[in-house]
Amino acid sequence: MAYLYGALSLGLSTILSLLSGIDNNLFWKIPLFALALFIALVLIHAIILGVSMLAVNLKKDNSRVSRYYRILTLTTVDLLFTTLGIRIHTTGLEKIPQDKRFLLVSNHTFDFDPAFFMRVMPKIDLGFVGKKEIYSDMIPIAKIMHKLNGLPLDRENNRNAVLTINKAAEYIKNDVCCMGIFPEGYCSLTGELLPFRSGAFKIAKKAHCPIVVATISNTRIILKNLFRRPTDIYLDILEVIDTDEVDAKTTAELSEKIYPIIKTNMR
């Protein structure tokens, strides 16, 4: 999206500069106009995003995929990543099932990790189970998450947690969307893999779906590098555990299998 806005800005600024007359100052008019138009386009995008978020009702059912909000989110993420110099390097994307819904599990080091997975899987409807605090402390993010089939998880209330797990499983089973969850339950502040909460794997067992195992690295240094240097993010799809194996194992066994796969392959 940043490249599109840049191309539009440059093209329009060239036309406007030529229409204003050819003179010795043309060489600085074009880049100046281009920069002004780029900023204007970004501001318009931000206004559209803000108005769209205001229209979201968090109490309304989110069991249907919103194409509008998914496209809006993907274009916003693309604009931000390109502008901030965030580069995502991927491996294993060819392993992702294309003909069935799945549960995505990964390590977790940054609150905005879901955005990176959405960025590299733009054609896959993917919602995430996230901490309930997002809905109280990060309302704008909660609204976007809500429209992208995200679900809040109350880690301190087992009954509510079960309801969320069941809902996520329903989304997969009813072909609404794929779901992603971070089995650690919290962001790792040190980058080390935290113990898993095996309950996360109940989603796959209840939905009878495969589990896509992934790792993501370097997301925590984005804020440190902000406006100073580009940031390289590494996202690797490691393995896909098929439905038969998911059904045959307990959640504890799945946790014991997946934990070392992620830990061994973390960068």
Side-chain angles (χ1 to χ4, degrees):
M1 187 56 66
Y3 293 123
L4 175 60
Y5 286 172
L8 285 173
S9 300
L10 183 59
L12 289 172
S13 64
T14 301
I15 294 173
L16 290 173
S17 297
L18 291 174
L19 290 176
S20 67
I22 300 176
D23 54 41
N24 293 332
N25 294 321
L26 184 63
F27 75 94
W28 63 260
K29 283 184 179 180
I30 292 178
L32 186 63
F33 285 168
L35 178 60
L37 286 170
F38 181 81
I39 293 173
L41 288 171
V42 171
L43 288 174
I44 292 171
H45 187 111
I47 291 171
I48 293 173
L49 179 64
V51 171
S52 298
M53 285 192 296
L54 288 174
V56 176
N57 181 356
L58 290 175
K59 295 182 180 180
K60 190 175 180 180
D61 178 68
N62 68 335
S63 60
R64 302 171 74 181
V65 174
S66 172
R67 296 297 175 196
Y68 169 76
Y69 282 93
R70 190 165 294 280
I71 292 172
L72 180 61
T73 301
L74 287 172
T75 54
T76 302
V77 166
D78 180 73
L79 177 61
L80 283 173
F81 285 7
T82 304
T83 303
L84 298 176
I86 298 173
R87 302 175 297 207
I88 308 177
H89 307 275
T90 63
T91 63
L93 292 181
E94 71 281 357
K95 300 175 184 177
I96 298 174
Q98 300 297 318
D99 59 345
K100 61 182 69 175
R101 299 299 188 185
F102 57 83
L103 175 69
L104 172 72
V105 298
S106 171
N107 63 306
H108 192 25
T109 61
F110 190 46
D111 282 336
F112 297 102
D113 283 344
F116 299 95
F117 285 100
M118 291 186 61
R119 178 68 181 81
V120 301
M121 305 178 194
K123 295 182 179 180
I124 296 176
D125 295 323
L126 181 62
F128 275 86
V129 176
K131 59 186 179 182
K132 71 176 181 64
E133 288 79 8
I134 294 174
Y135 277 65
S136 59
D137 303 336
M138 305 168 69
I139 299 299
I141 301 300
K143 289 190 172 187
I144 292 298
M145 176 181 168
H146 185 72
K147 296 302 292 186
L148 300 183
N149 306 106
L151 295 169
L153 180 68
D154 189 342
R155 296 166 295 190
E156 310 304 325
N157 186 312
N158 290 335
R159 182 177 180 278
N160 289 342
V162 168
L163 292 176
T164 297
I165 294 297
N166 290 342
K167 189 70 172 178
E170 286 178 17
Y171 282 177
I172 297 174
K173 195 171 184 177
N174 296 335
D175 198 29
V176 175
C177 65
C178 300
M179 292 300 297
I181 192 168
F182 302 107
E184 295 166 274
Y186 296 88
C187 284
S188 173
L189 300 181
T190 63
E192 296 292 324
L193 191 63
L194 301 175
F196 279 180
R197 298 186 173 203
S198 60
F201 303 106
K202 288 182 180 178
I203 296 173
K205 289 191 67 65
K206 288 177 178 291
H208 304 287
C209 72
I211 297 175
V212 175
V213 184
T215 58
I216 188 168
S217 305
N218 265 15
T219 53
R220 285 196 66 81
I221 69 171
I222 291 174
L223 297 179
K224 180 180 178 181
N225 291 346
L226 204 61
F227 303 118
R228 298 173 57 198
R229 61 176 69 92
T231 302
D232 291 299
I233 305 300
Y234 300 92
L235 192 155
D236 304 294
I237 304 299
L238 305 175
E239 186 175 329
V240 178
I241 301 174
D242 63 35
T243 305
D244 289 340
E245 185 173 359
V246 170
D247 289 343
K249 291 183 180 295
T250 65
T251 56
E253 289 171 336
L254 288 170
S255 180
E256 290 172 1
K257 176 183 175 67
I258 294 171
Y259 188 91
I261 295 175
I262 292 179
K263 186 175 180 63
T264 302
N265 289 279
M266 286 174 59
R267 295 174 184 261

